[in-house]
Amino acid sequence: NPESIELMKNHLLNLQYKVKHPFNGAMPGGWGWTSYSGSVPDADDTPGAILALLEMYQGNDDEAKAIIDGCNWLVNLQNSDGGIPTFCKGWGRLPFDQSCADLTGHTLLALISSIDVLGDKISASQKATFKKCIQKAIVYLQKHQHRLGSWMPLWFGNQLTFDKRNPVYGTAKVATYIQDCLKCKWLDYRLRLELQLMLSTAQNYLLDQQNSDGSWGGYKDIEGTIEETSLAICALAKKNKDACLKGFTWLEKEC
């Protein structure tokens, strides 16, 4: 429905912060998690808004400006280690300024997709800045991928695991972002190869973590959940049909 799409697009454009945020001093360009007071711009909702606007993009200058401003906000948030924190650039001493893999992957997809869709709407100097940020983010993900293929998320754990962490969640999220990055045409061979190598290792890790009943939990043999199972299926949809079908069978029983 074109009218509904226009309403959604205008809603997102209106929610973008146009001035410095009064609560935490965040610069303009980002999006928060709600239209109500108390929201502050963050590095999960901002890539999400950018990607949604790219899906609805019709070539208008106001749309392009909003997307580019959002990308610049993310670039300016990047920590010196190449990773992306949640709310503010920092030294990694507090959770909200620590780099994390899932938000870095989400940002990576937003930047790569923006270059792919907007093309010459992005100036050469801005594009060079975005590409530098992309390369640093890829290096961060390479360094923080476990040798078995997993990534740990910052905020989302699992209460049933021995360490309360959730590598299945983190790995599935980053792997899905990388899968979507690889659909973009402008990526050169080197970047494509680096992303593909990380993706293959991550997908193999997820296959090893599937429970015998077809579900996924935080680790293998941890009780499966609808969320972890759904995310793992998304990450493996083009990798292993049988594993995904087992996951769907488990989801049908749960739902």
Side-chain angles (χ1 to χ4, degrees):
N1 187 322
E3 291 183 2
S4 297
I5 291 174
E6 193 67 19
L7 283 172
M8 286 190 290
K9 181 173 66 178
N10 289 332
H11 178 67
L12 284 175
L13 290 173
N14 289 330
L15 286 179
Q16 186 176 30
Y17 285 97
K18 309 295 195 301
V19 296
K20 188 175 181 180
H21 198 281
F23 293 173
N24 68 347
M27 298 306 291
W31 279 266
W33 56 87
T34 177
S35 56
Y36 294 105
S37 61
S39 171
V40 294
D42 67 85
D44 202 19
D45 293 284
T46 298
I50 290 170
L51 291 166
L53 288 172
L54 289 172
E55 287 292 325
M56 298 182 281
Y57 180 64
Q58 295 180 319
N60 298 328
D61 288 344
D62 60 333
E63 299 168 7
K65 183 181 186 306
I67 292 167
I68 292 169
D69 286 349
C71 289
N72 279 323
W73 188 85
L74 291 169
V75 167
N76 290 327
L77 194 68
Q78 189 173 39
N79 280 331
S80 59
D81 62 5
I84 303 295
T86 310
F87 299 112
C88 56
K89 193 170 185 172
W91 299 274
R93 295 172 185 167
L94 296 169
F96 53 76
D97 68 10
Q98 286 179 21
S99 298
C100 56
D102 44 331
L103 299 187
T104 301
H106 206 180
T107 295
L108 190 67
L109 176 59
L111 293 174
I112 288 175
S113 299
S114 294
I115 294 174
D116 207 50
V117 173
L118 297 184
D120 292 339
K121 288 275 187 178
I122 306 174
S123 69
S125 60
Q126 280 188 318
K127 199 173 292 185
T129 300
F130 293 173
K131 288 182 177 179
K132 183 178 179 181
C133 178
I134 287 166
Q135 184 58 67
K136 288 175 66 179
I138 290 174
V139 171
Y140 172 86
L141 290 175
Q142 288 171 330
K143 287 182 177 179
H144 289 81
Q145 186 175 28
H146 189 274
R147 61 180 180 80
L148 296 179
S150 65
W151 285 283
M152 288 291 185
L154 177 59
W155 297 105
F156 298 96
N158 184 301
Q159 68 270 27
L160 299 177
T161 61
F162 72 95
D163 56 1
K164 302 297 185 286
R165 306 194 76 183
N166 197 336
V168 165
Y169 178 96
T171 307
K173 293 291 282 187
V174 178
T176 302
Y177 295 142
I178 291 176
Q179 277 189 136
D180 289 341
C181 287
L182 289 168
K183 298 175 185 176
C184 296
K185 296 177 181 178
W186 72 267
L187 287 172
D188 61 32
Y189 175 79
R190 181 180 58 81
L191 289 178
R192 194 172 293 277
L193 180 61
E194 289 176 346
L195 291 171
Q196 187 60 62
L197 286 171
M198 286 193 290
L199 174 61
S200 296
T201 310
Q203 289 173 324
N204 288 334
Y205 173 81
L206 290 172
L207 288 172
D208 289 339
Q209 299 304 306
Q210 187 173 28
N211 293 327
S212 58
D213 62 4
S215 70
W216 279 267
Y219 287 102
K220 186 177 179 64
D221 296 328
I222 295 296
E223 182 181 343
T225 71
I226 291 173
E227 182 177 25
E228 274 86 5
T229 301
S230 301
L231 290 172
I233 289 172
C234 289
L236 294 169
K238 294 185 177 181
K239 173 75 171 181
N240 191 302
K241 179 180 178 181
D242 291 340
C244 291
L245 288 175
K246 284 181 65 179
F248 278 124
T249 299
W250 183 85
L251 285 173
E252 286 176 349
K253 293 176 182 177
E254 291 298 306
C255 297

